[in-house]
Amino acid sequence: MAKSVPVHCPTCRREHSFTPPTFPCACGAPLTVPVLPDADPELLAHRTWRDSWVAVRCPACDRQGQWPRPEFGCSCGAVVRLPVQPSCDAAPRRPDDDGSRRGAVTPPPFRPVAIRTERDAVMAAERYLRWLGFTGVRRPGSCPAPAASGVDLRAEGLVVRVDPTTLPTTLRDVECLWLHGLLESSDSACFSLAGYAGDARTRADDLRLPLFVLDLTGLPRALNDWADELVRRGRG
């Protein structure tokens, strides 16, 4: 569990205890946003998209990603943005800064969208597939809500189910998705907000079906080797 840090409200001068948020890195390790305990928080007057994210490097895999910048709401009504220890190379570099081959391009970090509704969950998976490089990502039909058929997204050579419910995705859901892919001569992948039942995970491994878990920030995490392979294939 993350260690709490003291926060001094600049408006009422009260001291509060704040526990920095922890998110799952793409490698599977928990990543706690490194809030600086001795720095003065910034009174938040308005938000911008750029200022709402901070670059933090995962201590487990050394991968740098963009994460929501921590905020704290005081009982006096003030909202403050908490200072974070920045990554040492958070500033973008040109491709030839480190001697790499001129013309190489570092892909931009994936920027998730917070999940509040079922539609948000589908949108999060859709954005992630596009970020991976899959083409032709679309929703079946004209309805933006999750499809009752079991297929919520399609891409070139891929059918996808997005389960936004609060119950673990079941064995039947996994097998139905795999059959959809089989009938369409496509690969399959599943995104779930509440995880998977044990037999569903085992069956997915047998079927070589990629499983992802979505957190409420909209960030997908690969749950099995086949999901890791799908990520490598997309980004490669």
Side-chain angles (χ1 to χ4, degrees):
M1 182 177 180
K3 184 179 179 181
S4 62
V5 297
V7 174
H8 296 269
C9 176
T11 300
C12 68
R13 304 299 179 183
R14 294 177 184 172
E15 180 178 302
H16 304 274
S17 179
F18 177 79
T19 302
T22 298
F23 303 101
C25 178
C27 72
L31 183 148
T32 300
V33 179
V35 175
L36 293 173
D38 300 324
D40 294 328
E42 173 191 356
L43 190 63
L44 186 61
H46 65 278
R47 292 183 178 88
T48 64
W49 175 261
R50 181 181 181 87
D51 292 339
S52 296
W53 299 90
V54 62
V56 177
R57 187 172 295 280
C58 176
C61 68
D62 202 38
R63 179 183 307 177
Q64 180 175 291
Q66 296 288 328
W67 302 94
R69 188 182 294 272
E71 297 177 2
F72 176 78
C74 180
S75 57
C76 73
V79 178
V80 296
R81 179 178 290 130
L82 304 180
V84 173
Q85 176 67 48
S87 296
C88 60
D89 59 347
R93 297 179 297 177
R94 294 179 304 172
D96 56 344
D97 282 348
D98 58 357
S100 59
R101 178 173 56 88
R102 184 178 298 273
V105 177
T106 301
F110 174 67
R111 296 187 180 274
V113 175
I115 296 175
R116 299 181 180 86
T117 67
E118 293 184 356
R119 295 181 180 182
D120 291 340
V122 177
M123 181 181 298
E126 182 179 359
R127 287 171 61 94
Y128 187 66
L129 291 173
R130 293 184 188 278
W131 178 78
L132 286 178
F134 286 94
T135 59
V137 182
R138 62 196 184 281
R139 304 178 190 183
S142 59
C143 179
S149 66
V151 175
D152 303 288
L153 293 170
R154 283 184 167 86
E156 294 299 326
L158 187 69
V159 294
V160 178
R161 175 178 175 81
V162 182
D163 187 352
T165 65
T166 57
L167 296 176
T169 302
T170 66
L171 170 65
R172 182 179 182 275
D173 293 331
V174 167
E175 290 183 333
C176 286
L177 174 61
W178 177 78
L179 287 173
H180 275 293
L182 188 65
L183 291 173
E184 298 185 23
S185 300
S186 298
D187 293 331
S188 307
C190 189
F191 292 77
S192 177
L193 201 60
Y196 301 84
D199 54 358
R201 290 190 59 172
T202 300
R203 186 60 171 152
D205 287 339
D206 293 340
L207 297 174
R208 301 186 175 187
L209 193 150
L211 299 181
F212 294 87
V213 172
L214 290 165
D215 65 24
L216 292 179
T217 69
L219 184 69
R221 174 169 61 91
L223 198 61
N224 59 4
D225 291 341
W226 307 112
D228 288 331
E229 175 62 29
L230 186 71
V231 172
R232 286 192 295 268
R233 191 181 80 190
R235 295 306 294 172

